[in-house]
Amino acid sequence: MANPVVNTTICTCSFGTLPMVLSVTSQQTVQMCTQLAATIMDNQCTTFGMCSSIANPAVAAATAAALGVLTPSACIPVTPAPWAPGVPTVMVCGKPLLNNSKLMCMYGGVIQVSMTPALTIQTP
């Protein structure tokens, strides 16, 4: 198993300019490495700085105002679906554990884990 995804994990978006710190809100009881374990339902992203996806209405409007020159705008992710695929064999409070998954933004961005503070140590 890869390193578990927990509260304060760093995530990135393919159209964003900055990383985001993941907040676990789907459950408040199960911990891994002294942090709350993330589930596939922890899909409420704050911001990735600036967005460069032309599918984002704010980027499209700014680009049109700049006469077609791609102009990034503030990132406000829209992520209605859960992370996929998760770990369906490991349930945390009735929800699959988040691990090696991707989250899709409605504006075309692919959100993924880039660094987690929790480490899994293999023993012989």
Side-chain angles (χ1 to χ4, degrees), residues 3-12 19-24 32-33 35-39 42 44-48 83 97-101 111-119:
N3 293 333
V5 178
V6 296
N7 195 50
T8 71
T9 289
I10 304 296
C11 299
T12 56
M20 177 206 70
V21 176
L22 180 70
S23 293
V24 172
M32 299 174 119
C33 301
Q35 293 281 345
L36 290 172
T39 72
D42 288 309
Q44 300 304 313
C45 299
T46 53
T47 184
F48 293 96
W83 292 78
L97 181 71
L98 176 57
N99 190 350
N100 294 335
S101 302
I111 300 165
Q112 61 188 358
V113 171
S114 61
M115 196 233 16
T116 178
L119 299 176

Side-chain angles (χ1 to χ4, degrees), residues 9-94:
T9 289
I10 304 296
C11 299
T12 56
C13 176
S14 57
F15 285 114
T17 57
L18 298 173
M20 177 206 70
V21 176
L22 180 70
S23 293
V24 172
T25 58
S26 65
Q27 62 88 22
Q28 298 295 309
T29 56
V30 179
Q31 293 190 351
M32 299 174 119
C33 301
T34 70
Q35 293 281 345
L36 290 172
T39 72
I40 63 167
M41 298 309 292
D42 288 309
N43 60 341
Q44 300 304 313
C45 299
T46 53
T47 184
F48 293 96
M50 299 294 279
C51 178
S52 60
S53 171
I54 198 69
N56 182 334
V59 175
T63 299
L67 303 175
V69 177
L70 181 63
T71 306
S73 288
C75 169
I76 302 171
V78 179
T79 54
W83 292 78
V87 183
T89 57
V90 180
M91 303 300 271
V92 176
C93 296

